[in-house]
Amino acid sequence: MLTCKEQVARSSDYLEGQLSFREKLMVRHHLMFCPNCRRFMRQMRLMQATLKALPEQADENVDALAERLAEQRRKDNPL
Ligand SMILES: [Zn+2]
């Protein structure tokens, strides 16, 4: 099984579909058993989708951006 560190190192390649079949399986296997990496992967995915959707904002602090998005999501999907 991958360590969390190995998993994180593969996460962006995983999201971009750049991994080999075998590595993809290893990542999925790790995610199945590791809630922390699942959460990390969700954030990565959200971040990627966001960065694609937004115009270039090179100056903006990434944390501020993530915070703003989370805020927007809460507004869009009130519980
Ligand atoms: Zn992990």
Side-chain angles (χ1 to χ4, degrees):
M1 180 148 147
L2 295 174
T3 64
C4 289
K5 207 173 155 189
E6 289 169 332
Q7 152 71 28
V8 166
R10 285 165 173 76
S11 55
S12 63
D13 282 346
Y14 176 74
L15 289 174
E16 282 160 24
Q18 302 288 322
L19 292 180
S20 68
F21 180 70
R22 196 183 136 79
E23 283 203 309
K24 233 185 305 196
L25 283 184
M26 280 158 60
V27 167
R28 281 194 191 148
H29 185 252
H30 184 101
L31 289 175
M32 232 183 282
F33 292 99
C34 185
N36 288 333
C37 285
R38 273 209 298 276
R39 193 164 52 226
F40 175 78
M41 198 59 104
R42 246 203 326 270
Q43 282 167 351
M44 287 272 297
R45 202 174 269 151
L46 175 64
M47 186 63 75
Q48 259 194 0
T50 303
L51 290 177
K52 269 181 208 152
L54 287 179
E56 295 285 323
Q57 300 194 36
D59 292 342
E60 186 156 20
N61 181 305
V62 174
D63 289 336
L65 181 60
E67 184 52 44
R68 208 152 47 81
L69 288 168
E71 183 68 28
Q72 201 161 15
R73 243 169 116 82
R74 278 197 291 276
K75 277 185 207 148
D76 290 347
N77 307 301
L79 290 174

